[in-house]
Amino acid sequence: MKKICVALFAILAAATAGAQAPSVESRFEMRADAKLPKDGDLLNAHLANLCVDTRFTENLSFHWRVRFSKWFGEHNFINSSDFLYLKWQPFEHLRFKAGRDCLYIGGYEYEQGPIDIFYTSEFCNNVAPYKFTATVDFVGENDMLGLQVGETPFGKKGVMLSAMWNGRHGFFESLWSVNAGENLEGKYSWLLGLGNRFLLTDALTFYLDYTDRLHGGLLKDFTIVPKLTWRPGRLFGTRLEGSIDYNRSGESNYRVSADGISYFCSLPDEFRCLNGGIQFEFFPLKALGDDFRIHAAYNHRRTKSFVTGDVADSDCLNLGITYKLRLRSGKK
């Protein structure tokens, strides 16, 4: 997969040789948190990103987002980059992408950047969505059908095949997908992802994601994520969000590989996890708009094993500031 992406990069780079100077837009993002109960240091500024969007021509662009916290940790340059891909749209209704991108997994939970996430469902938290991919999108006026081949998130090697529908019809929008990814046993694990967004008013939006791992049929190994967002004006916003992770299918494809890395393509069998919380966001600086945010987020989590009957509860309060600095933009 990486060799295919590199070859496409080279072809597109040659095709743009001699083109006009590119237009570049970039920004630096950072979030500093204080968590209670604290996880390590009380103050945590581990979320720091650099985002660069470069437009070579009207139809060709390059997108890069790197997380410095991962780069300076145990990850290399490539693995610390969420996005590192070229996008080429030779025709109005046809688009190609190649490089490191987000896998086409249905659900709006995967659409948020890490800097805007305070907690997630158990399954989403254990699936790495940023992989090397090759994608073709068929774009209509209100609908997009995407076909993608990418690295699997379910094992050390192998591919994931994905098909996604993104529709916008009145107050309803969708991110639906069907995915098949190779796991550590060399078999394919399936996902059905149904992301739904309802634009109720200009200020009120309701999300409902449903992901089924399709073990033993529907509604036996699944995740449901409801979310309600309210933004009544420029200064203030709030979110109510929860999740239900559930597996009583009799199957569990959770594995730990020989290199010590855990790969989730299911939840542990006879397991349930309930998450719920509320988030408040305040944007005090008119000149910066949404680029400067103060937040407070509370989350309660409860897990239960149906085998042992053990129940575990945990709470987390997250207070912090996010700043997105827009760097100089324009043509080089």
Side-chain angles (χ1 to χ4, degrees), residues 35-201:
K35 294 183 179 181
L36 297 172
K38 66 179 183 179
D39 180 12
D41 295 333
L42 177 61
L43 293 177
N44 192 345
H46 68 284
L47 289 170
N49 308 326
L50 176 65
C51 308
V52 180
D53 296 312
T54 305
R55 182 172 292 277
F56 299 103
T57 69
E58 184 179 348
N59 301 322
L60 182 66
S61 58
F62 171 74
H63 304 271
W64 180 41
R65 184 177 78 201
V66 61
R67 277 190 263 175
F68 289 113
S69 53
K70 295 179 66 177
W71 193 354
F72 296 144
E74 298 178 355
H75 296 74
N76 59 33
F77 164 76
I78 297 297
N79 291 335
S80 62
S81 296
D82 296 333
F83 298 135
L84 188 68
Y85 68 87
L86 279 167
K87 181 171 68 175
W88 180 42
Q89 190 163 352
F91 306 104
E92 180 182 359
H93 300 297
L94 185 63
R95 180 172 64 212
F96 299 94
K97 293 190 292 181
R100 192 171 174 88
D101 194 3
C102 190
L103 292 169
Y104 272 6
I105 300 176
Y108 286 92
E109 202 176 17
Y110 299 93
E111 290 298 293
Q112 301 178 93
I115 204 163
D116 295 317
I117 295 175
F118 301 105
Y119 51 85
T120 67
S121 67
E122 185 74 6
F123 184 69
C124 179
N125 190 51
N126 288 283
V127 173
Y130 301 111
K131 298 291 183 180
F132 277 95
T133 66
T135 306
V136 56
D137 295 330
F138 302 93
V139 184
E141 183 176 354
N142 297 308
D143 298 276
M144 185 277 289
L145 174 63
L147 303 177
Q148 185 185 76
V149 180
E151 296 176 304
T152 181
F154 300 151
K156 191 173 182 179
K157 296 180 180 180
V159 301
M160 171 173 271
L161 308 175
S162 305
M164 173 173 280
W165 169 53
N166 176 206
R168 297 183 178 183
H169 298 276
F171 70 93
F172 171 70
E173 299 180 357
S174 67
L175 281 176
W176 291 10
S177 76
V178 177
N179 312 84
E182 289 185 75
N183 58 38
L184 288 174
E185 298 174 343
K187 301 177 181 179
Y188 278 90
S189 294
W190 289 81
L191 288 180
L192 174 65
L194 304 177
N196 306 278
R197 178 160 61 186
F198 302 90
L199 308 175
L200 304 179
T201 69

